[in-house]
Amino acid sequence: MTAALEISHLVKTFGGLKATNDLSFTVAEGESLGLIGPNGAGKTTVFSQIMGELRQTSGTIRLFGEDIGALATPARIRHGVSRTYQVPRPFSGMTVAENIRVGLMPNSVRRMVFGAPDPERERELGLSVGLSEADLDRTPAELSMGDLRKLELARTMATAPRVMLLDEVFAGLTVGEIAQIAELIQRMRRDGMTFLVVSHDLPALEPLVDRCIAIDRGTLIAEGSFAEVVDDPEVRASYLGGV
């Protein structure tokens, strides 16, 4: 299978601390790979390096065979990788539709402060993730956490990614909201999207992934099927408290 994302010997140091430590893994095109580990394991740091928000100390990051490790974040997005954030980051002074518009605009200072609107495309993206017509005219402060997660997904989808990095997309959601987001991700999987998914909600994560990897202190400690990784003794000791 074609490799969508290849991480090879990735190292990120902060002073004497190695946040990622010779980390290597591959995500195949069309695959959904889970990434788990305890708090502080380095999962979000991995995402930040893939997106260029943090520059790796050493190692390579390839997207569909192309080395993107020296590119700025906007260039990486144009090459087809995008992410959500553990804590949603909407523009609070804009409507939901205007937030989606930001993702639709190419860079160049977002076409000189967000360019010409495309209301139909903004609406299409908003409705596709389960936001309502009324939600599009609201501000982010008026949305529930579940709807903020939907807005994050809509803004990410607006960049036309080939690979999506989802960071704790279920955090803070009700059972019903988790089911809605999970169904949306499953639909995108059926359409061929490639995913790398971080989640502490293991029951919600399991049906969404083809394989799973676990890291601890920036080091790969297990790789395989979801069941194999969760049952691995080192994973249970580090992530599940040894139970």
Side-chain angles (χ1 to χ4, degrees), residues 168-203:
E168 294 292 359
V169 72
F170 301 119
L173 303 190
T174 67
V175 171
E177 289 169 336
I178 289 171
Q180 289 179 334
I181 297 296
E183 172 52 35
L184 173 61
I185 295 169
Q186 291 283 31
R187 190 173 78 231
M188 288 189 283
R189 286 190 66 196
R190 292 191 291 268
D191 290 339
M193 183 66 71
T194 301
F195 287 103
L196 179 59
V197 188
V198 165
S199 180
H200 276 96
D201 190 332
L202 299 185

Tab-separated table of all heavy atoms in Angstrom, residues 168-203:
chain	number	residue	atom	x	y	z
A	168	GLU	N	-7.474	14.302	20.332
A	168	GLU	CA	-8.478	14.210	21.408
A	168	GLU	C	-9.818	14.781	20.966
A	168	GLU	O	-10.434	15.615	21.633
A	168	GLU	CB	-7.971	14.938	22.661
A	168	GLU	CG	-6.746	14.296	23.293
A	168	GLU	CD	-6.999	12.931	23.922
A	168	GLU	OE1	-8.156	12.456	23.896
A	168	GLU	OE2	-6.034	12.333	24.424
A	169	VAL	N	-10.296	14.294	19.837
A	169	VAL	CA	-11.510	14.835	19.235
A	169	VAL	C	-12.750	14.528	20.071
A	169	VAL	O	-13.788	15.172	19.894
A	169	VAL	CB	-11.652	14.302	17.794
A	169	VAL	CG1	-12.023	12.837	17.764
A	169	VAL	CG2	-12.623	15.149	16.981
A	170	PHE	N	-12.668	13.564	21.017
A	170	PHE	CA	-13.811	13.217	21.846
A	170	PHE	C	-13.777	13.872	23.230
A	170	PHE	O	-14.700	13.691	24.025
A	170	PHE	CB	-13.906	11.696	22.033
A	170	PHE	CG	-14.040	10.942	20.741
A	170	PHE	CD1	-13.086	10.010	20.369
A	170	PHE	CD2	-15.109	11.159	19.900
A	170	PHE	CE1	-13.202	9.313	19.178
A	170	PHE	CE2	-15.234	10.472	18.701
A	170	PHE	CZ	-14.275	9.551	18.336
A	171	ALA	N	-12.731	14.624	23.527
A	171	ALA	CA	-12.565	15.189	24.868
A	171	ALA	C	-13.706	16.148	25.198
A	171	ALA	O	-14.036	17.032	24.423
A	171	ALA	CB	-11.226	15.907	24.977
A	172	GLY	N	-14.301	15.960	26.365
A	172	GLY	CA	-15.338	16.852	26.853
A	172	GLY	C	-16.710	16.650	26.255
A	172	GLY	O	-17.608	17.464	26.484
A	173	LEU	N	-16.909	15.581	25.491
A	173	LEU	CA	-18.186	15.370	24.814
A	173	LEU	C	-19.100	14.432	25.590
A	173	LEU	O	-18.643	13.584	26.358
A	173	LEU	CB	-17.958	14.778	23.407
A	173	LEU	CG	-17.074	15.570	22.456
A	173	LEU	CD1	-17.170	14.970	21.055
A	173	LEU	CD2	-17.450	17.043	22.423
A	174	THR	N	-20.391	14.586	25.372
A	174	THR	CA	-21.367	13.645	25.916
A	174	THR	C	-21.348	12.367	25.088
A	174	THR	O	-20.769	12.310	23.997
A	174	THR	CB	-22.777	14.244	25.872
A	174	THR	OG1	-23.169	14.390	24.494
A	174	THR	CG2	-22.838	15.609	26.557
A	175	VAL	N	-22.017	11.335	25.589
A	175	VAL	CA	-22.091	10.062	24.867
A	175	VAL	C	-22.719	10.268	23.490
A	175	VAL	O	-22.242	9.735	22.475
A	175	VAL	CB	-22.887	9.021	25.682
A	175	VAL	CG1	-23.150	7.766	24.855
A	175	VAL	CG2	-22.133	8.657	26.959
A	176	GLY	N	-23.781	11.067	23.433
A	176	GLY	CA	-24.437	11.325	22.154
A	176	GLY	C	-23.554	12.084	21.193
A	176	GLY	O	-23.531	11.795	19.990
A	177	GLU	N	-22.794	13.063	21.702
A	177	GLU	CA	-21.896	13.842	20.846
A	177	GLU	C	-20.752	12.967	20.323
A	177	GLU	O	-20.333	13.095	19.170
A	177	GLU	CB	-21.350	15.041	21.621
A	177	GLU	CG	-22.394	16.122	21.874
A	177	GLU	CD	-21.931	17.174	22.856
A	177	GLU	OE1	-21.039	16.886	23.689
A	177	GLU	OE2	-22.454	18.303	22.814
A	178	ILE	N	-20.240	12.072	21.182
A	178	ILE	CA	-19.197	11.144	20.748
A	178	ILE	C	-19.699	10.294	19.590
A	178	ILE	O	-18.998	10.093	18.588
A	178	ILE	CB	-18.727	10.255	21.919
A	178	ILE	CG1	-17.913	11.089	22.915
A	178	ILE	CG2	-17.898	9.063	21.413
A	178	ILE	CD1	-17.582	10.360	24.197
A	179	ALA	N	-20.927	9.802	19.697
A	179	ALA	CA	-21.499	8.970	18.633
A	179	ALA	C	-21.604	9.759	17.330
A	179	ALA	O	-21.330	9.227	16.247
A	179	ALA	CB	-22.866	8.443	19.060
A	180	GLN	N	-21.994	11.026	17.408
A	180	GLN	CA	-22.116	11.861	16.207
A	180	GLN	C	-20.761	12.078	15.542
A	180	GLN	O	-20.633	11.948	14.313
A	180	GLN	CB	-22.733	13.215	16.573
A	180	GLN	CG	-24.200	13.163	16.936
A	180	GLN	CD	-24.733	14.543	17.305
A	180	GLN	OE1	-23.986	15.425	17.753
A	180	GLN	NE2	-26.018	14.747	17.125
A	181	ILE	N	-19.735	12.407	16.341
A	181	ILE	CA	-18.410	12.647	15.789
A	181	ILE	C	-17.831	11.353	15.222
A	181	ILE	O	-17.211	11.345	14.145
A	181	ILE	CB	-17.466	13.242	16.853
A	181	ILE	CG1	-17.980	14.614	17.331
A	181	ILE	CG2	-16.045	13.359	16.306
A	181	ILE	CD1	-18.010	15.688	16.282
A	182	ALA	N	-18.040	10.243	15.934
A	182	ALA	CA	-17.531	8.951	15.453
A	182	ALA	C	-18.145	8.579	14.113
A	182	ALA	O	-17.459	8.084	13.212
A	182	ALA	CB	-17.801	7.867	16.490
A	183	GLU	N	-19.436	8.822	13.951
A	183	GLU	CA	-20.094	8.505	12.680
A	183	GLU	C	-19.551	9.388	11.558
A	183	GLU	O	-19.364	8.926	10.421
A	183	GLU	CB	-21.605	8.693	12.808
A	183	GLU	CG	-22.373	8.570	11.496
A	183	GLU	CD	-22.066	7.289	10.717
A	183	GLU	OE1	-21.831	6.241	11.360
A	183	GLU	OE2	-22.069	7.347	9.467
A	184	LEU	N	-19.272	10.640	11.859
A	184	LEU	CA	-18.689	11.536	10.858
A	184	LEU	C	-17.314	11.027	10.419
A	184	LEU	O	-17.002	11.002	9.225
A	184	LEU	CB	-18.583	12.941	11.440
A	184	LEU	CG	-17.844	13.984	10.594
A	184	LEU	CD1	-18.532	14.188	9.249
A	184	LEU	CD2	-17.755	15.304	11.360
A	185	ILE	N	-16.492	10.622	11.382
A	185	ILE	CA	-15.165	10.102	11.048
A	185	ILE	C	-15.285	8.822	10.228
A	185	ILE	O	-14.559	8.627	9.242
A	185	ILE	CB	-14.347	9.868	12.332
A	185	ILE	CG1	-14.068	11.205	13.034
A	185	ILE	CG2	-13.029	9.152	12.018
A	185	ILE	CD1	-13.510	11.061	14.436
A	186	GLN	N	-16.221	7.942	10.599
A	186	GLN	CA	-16.424	6.706	9.830
A	186	GLN	C	-16.827	7.019	8.397
A	186	GLN	O	-16.381	6.349	7.455
A	186	GLN	CB	-17.493	5.833	10.500
A	186	GLN	CG	-17.087	5.227	11.831
A	186	GLN	CD	-16.153	4.039	11.679
A	186	GLN	OE1	-15.364	3.953	10.738
A	186	GLN	NE2	-16.233	3.109	12.621
A	187	ARG	N	-17.664	8.033	8.225
A	187	ARG	CA	-18.078	8.414	6.866
A	187	ARG	C	-16.883	8.899	6.048
A	187	ARG	O	-16.735	8.526	4.879
A	187	ARG	CB	-19.150	9.500	6.936
A	187	ARG	CG	-19.817	9.789	5.590
A	187	ARG	CD	-20.978	10.734	5.731
A	187	ARG	NE	-20.547	12.110	5.871
A	187	ARG	CZ	-20.940	12.931	6.827
A	187	ARG	NH1	-21.771	12.518	7.769
A	187	ARG	NH2	-20.509	14.178	6.880
A	188	MET	N	-16.027	9.699	6.668
A	188	MET	CA	-14.837	10.178	5.959
A	188	MET	C	-13.873	9.033	5.665
A	188	MET	O	-13.218	9.021	4.622
A	188	MET	CB	-14.155	11.280	6.765
A	188	MET	CG	-14.932	12.597	6.754
A	188	MET	SD	-13.993	13.972	7.481
A	188	MET	CE	-14.159	13.612	9.220
A	189	ARG	N	-13.800	8.054	6.554
A	189	ARG	CA	-12.976	6.871	6.298
A	189	ARG	C	-13.488	6.128	5.065
A	189	ARG	O	-12.699	5.700	4.222
A	189	ARG	CB	-13.004	5.916	7.493
A	189	ARG	CG	-12.204	6.358	8.698
A	189	ARG	CD	-12.118	5.231	9.716
A	189	ARG	NE	-11.341	4.114	9.194
A	189	ARG	CZ	-11.361	2.886	9.719
A	189	ARG	NH1	-12.124	2.609	10.758
A	189	ARG	NH2	-10.604	1.936	9.198
A	190	ARG	N	-14.796	5.974	4.977
A	190	ARG	CA	-15.364	5.277	3.820
A	190	ARG	C	-15.077	6.030	2.523
A	190	ARG	O	-15.002	5.425	1.448
A	190	ARG	CB	-16.877	5.079	4.002
A	190	ARG	CG	-17.239	4.101	5.115
A	190	ARG	CD	-18.702	3.727	5.095
A	190	ARG	NE	-19.575	4.833	5.457
A	190	ARG	CZ	-19.988	5.087	6.695
A	190	ARG	NH1	-19.580	4.325	7.713
A	190	ARG	NH2	-20.792	6.108	6.942
A	191	ASP	N	-14.914	7.349	2.631
A	191	ASP	CA	-14.595	8.160	1.455
A	191	ASP	C	-13.096	8.169	1.138
A	191	ASP	O	-12.669	8.834	0.191
A	191	ASP	CB	-15.081	9.603	1.656
A	191	ASP	CG	-16.605	9.708	1.640
A	191	ASP	OD1	-17.255	8.793	1.095
A	191	ASP	OD2	-17.137	10.701	2.174
A	192	GLY	N	-12.292	7.466	1.944
A	192	GLY	CA	-10.880	7.308	1.640
A	192	GLY	C	-9.919	8.213	2.385
A	192	GLY	O	-8.720	8.214	2.087
A	193	MET	N	-10.410	8.983	3.365
A	193	MET	CA	-9.520	9.854	4.123
A	193	MET	C	-8.542	9.027	4.951
A	193	MET	O	-8.877	7.953	5.451
A	193	MET	CB	-10.334	10.766	5.046
A	193	MET	CG	-9.513	11.768	5.843
A	193	MET	SD	-8.711	13.009	4.806
A	193	MET	CE	-10.155	13.965	4.296
A	194	THR	N	-7.322	9.530	5.104
A	194	THR	CA	-6.304	8.922	5.956
A	194	THR	C	-6.286	9.666	7.288
A	194	THR	O	-6.307	10.897	7.315
A	194	THR	CB	-4.918	9.003	5.285
A	194	THR	OG1	-4.970	8.328	4.028
A	194	THR	CG2	-3.847	8.378	6.156
A	195	PHE	N	-6.236	8.905	8.391
A	195	PHE	CA	-6.300	9.518	9.719
A	195	PHE	C	-5.158	9.054	10.612
A	195	PHE	O	-4.747	7.884	10.578
A	195	PHE	CB	-7.602	9.133	10.440
A	195	PHE	CG	-8.831	9.793	9.920
A	195	PHE	CD1	-9.710	9.102	9.106
A	195	PHE	CD2	-9.135	11.103	10.253
A	195	PHE	CE1	-10.863	9.693	8.624
A	195	PHE	CE2	-10.284	11.710	9.774
A	195	PHE	CZ	-11.152	11.008	8.960
A	196	LEU	N	-4.681	9.978	11.444
A	196	LEU	CA	-3.880	9.665	12.618
A	196	LEU	C	-4.653	10.248	13.794
A	196	LEU	O	-4.894	11.460	13.839
A	196	LEU	CB	-2.489	10.286	12.511
A	196	LEU	CG	-1.535	10.049	13.692
A	196	LEU	CD1	-1.286	8.566	13.920
A	196	LEU	CD2	-0.208	10.783	13.466
A	197	VAL	N	-5.069	9.388	14.733
A	197	VAL	CA	-6.028	9.789	15.764
A	197	VAL	C	-5.442	9.582	17.151
A	197	VAL	O	-5.065	8.457	17.523
A	197	VAL	CB	-7.342	8.981	15.658
A	197	VAL	CG1	-8.391	9.552	16.611
A	197	VAL	CG2	-7.860	8.970	14.226
A	198	VAL	N	-5.369	10.653	17.929
A	198	VAL	CA	-5.007	10.587	19.344
A	198	VAL	C	-6.284	10.632	20.166
A	198	VAL	O	-7.143	11.501	19.952
A	198	VAL	CB	-4.095	11.773	19.737
A	198	VAL	CG1	-4.015	11.912	21.255
A	198	VAL	CG2	-2.709	11.604	19.149
A	199	SER	N	-6.426	9.698	21.106
A	199	SER	CA	-7.589	9.730	21.995
A	199	SER	C	-7.306	8.927	23.258
A	199	SER	O	-6.717	7.845	23.209
A	199	SER	CB	-8.830	9.161	21.295
A	199	SER	OG	-9.948	9.197	22.166
A	200	HIS	N	-7.748	9.475	24.386
A	200	HIS	CA	-7.740	8.720	25.634
A	200	HIS	C	-9.020	7.906	25.794
A	200	HIS	O	-9.095	7.049	26.675
A	200	HIS	CB	-7.601	9.679	26.834
A	200	HIS	CG	-6.185	10.049	27.139
A	200	HIS	ND1	-5.596	11.207	26.675
A	200	HIS	CD2	-5.228	9.398	27.847
A	200	HIS	CE1	-4.343	11.269	27.103
A	200	HIS	NE2	-4.098	10.191	27.811
A	201	ASP	N	-10.015	8.172	24.976
A	201	ASP	CA	-11.274	7.435	25.051
A	201	ASP	C	-11.128	6.161	24.222
A	201	ASP	O	-11.476	6.112	23.042
A	201	ASP	CB	-12.418	8.305	24.519
A	201	ASP	CG	-13.785	7.698	24.779
A	201	ASP	OD1	-13.881	6.448	24.854
A	201	ASP	OD2	-14.767	8.451	24.889
A	202	LEU	N	-10.609	5.113	24.845
A	202	LEU	CA	-10.296	3.896	24.109
A	202	LEU	C	-11.528	3.207	23.522
A	202	LEU	O	-11.474	2.730	22.386
A	202	LEU	CB	-9.499	2.934	24.993
A	202	LEU	CG	-8.146	3.462	25.480
A	202	LEU	CD1	-7.400	2.370	26.249
A	202	LEU	CD2	-7.298	3.979	24.340
A	203	PRO	N	-12.664	3.132	24.239
A	203	PRO	CA	-13.836	2.509	23.620
A	203	PRO	C	-14.306	3.234	22.360
A	203	PRO	O	-14.748	2.602	21.403
A	203	PRO	CB	-14.896	2.568	24.730
A	203	PRO	CG	-14.106	2.585	26.000
A	203	PRO	CD	-12.895	3.415	25.673
